[in-house]
Amino acid sequence: MLLLEERPLGAIVLDIEGTTTDIAFVKNTLFPYATERLEAFVAEIAPTAEGQAILAQVRAEVGDANLSVEGCIAQLLAWAKADQKVTPLKAVQGMIWDEGYRTKAYYSHVYDDAAAHIQEWHRRGVPLYIYSSGSIAAQKLLFAHTIVGDLTPCFQGYFDTTTGAKVDATSYEKIANTLGIAAGELLFLSDHPGELAAAQHAGWQVYAVQRPGTPDFDSDLPTVRHFGELQIHFDNA
């Protein structure tokens, strides 16, 4: 049996930014790369089926079925500059980041302890999942092109904002139902108090992850500074 301290553990669900990956990589590398290319990229793909789907999502989000392509691009740029976690923006960003990874413009940052424990947990048979505001495509790209190599074989699945907002407890209920694992046997690791509170409200086990340079948690949340502090026991392994 897999245990976190004395509680049964069926799977671990990981946040990305500030948990497995330095916020600076996302903020200073990925976001600027996508924002600088967004206008030209969306204009180029607009006539395609993929582009039309993105434009339809933007129009639905703002409630204007007749919004022009230029208006959609302006809205996407506004969301990007405001760092809004909106599904069509995340989809476009993921498509642009794909270009950056393919051209080796950058590699993803992953904390050493996160990479080591993700690989070790996978080796020991721990089911691992990602739940991030970035699109599932962007999540897979990030873990496929890390500074330590391709980590995607370590994960059994991915969740994004199409499941629901990360600060909404019902999102975690949906994930538990999808996985077929009791909420109390799911562990969520994140650097975001609101996300952790939502997961707790849904009955999950949670740990806050405190990384160098991030604000201290002003709460009673259990906190670790690296993954090695998690007391995971592999009984009968």
Side-chain angles (χ1 to χ4, degrees):
M1 180 183 293
L2 181 65
L3 300 171
L4 174 64
E5 297 179 344
E6 297 303 320
R7 297 182 64 185
L9 183 59
I12 300 174
V13 181
L14 303 164
D15 171 49
I16 295 177
E17 187 178 346
T19 301
T20 66
T21 300
D22 193 340
I23 292 173
F25 169 70
V26 179
K27 180 180 178 181
N28 300 334
T29 300
L30 290 184
F31 282 168
Y33 187 89
T35 300
E36 289 168 8
R37 289 160 177 76
L38 190 149
E39 183 174 1
F41 182 84
V42 175
E44 182 180 344
I45 68 167
T48 69
E50 198 170 34
Q52 287 296 310
I54 295 292
L55 296 175
Q57 288 179 353
V58 174
R59 290 166 180 146
E61 193 72 30
V62 300
D64 183 354
N66 298 313
L67 188 64
S68 66
V69 172
E70 293 75 15
C72 289
I73 291 172
Q75 183 61 66
L76 286 164
L77 285 169
W79 283 332
K81 291 175 181 177
D83 191 22
Q84 294 293 303
K85 302 182 188 303
V86 185
T87 297
L89 171 64
K90 294 300 180 182
V92 171
Q93 287 172 329
M95 294 162 70
I96 298 173
W97 291 333
D98 180 34
E99 172 191 85
Y101 286 117
R102 284 189 287 105
T103 59
K104 295 182 170 55
Y106 42 74
Y107 289 91
S108 304
H109 170 271
V110 177
Y111 287 110
D112 290 343
D113 66 282
H117 282 82
I118 286 169
Q119 292 169 311
E120 174 63 12
W121 291 335
H122 173 64
R123 188 184 71 80
R124 300 293 294 269
V126 181
L128 300 174
Y129 298 87
I130 296 293
Y131 182 27
S132 174
S133 58
S135 69
I136 289 173
Q139 296 172 29
K140 291 179 178 178
L141 282 170
L142 187 148
F143 285 108
H145 298 90
T146 79
I147 53 179
V148 296
D150 184 2
L151 294 178
T152 57
C154 298
F155 298 104
Q156 294 195 10
Y158 305 82
F159 297 92
D160 61 12
T161 53
T162 59
T163 294
K166 294 183 71 183
V167 294
D168 188 341
T170 59
S171 301
Y172 299 89
E173 294 169 1
K174 289 178 183 177
I175 292 174
N177 289 335
T178 298
L179 298 182
I181 300 174
E185 296 182 9
L186 289 168
L187 169 64
F188 184 50
L189 304 179
S190 174
D191 70 318
H192 193 289
E195 297 172 2
L196 294 162
Q200 266 191 327
H201 187 72
W204 289 38
Q205 303 180 55
V206 302
Y207 264 85
V209 181
Q210 180 78 62
R211 291 299 186 180
T214 60
D216 290 336
F217 283 91
D218 184 21
S219 72
D220 295 328
L221 289 168
T223 304
V224 295
R225 295 189 178 274
H226 59 80
F227 286 5
E229 293 180 356
L230 290 164
Q231 300 299 311
I232 296 176
H233 304 288
F234 300 85
D235 288 2
N236 303 320

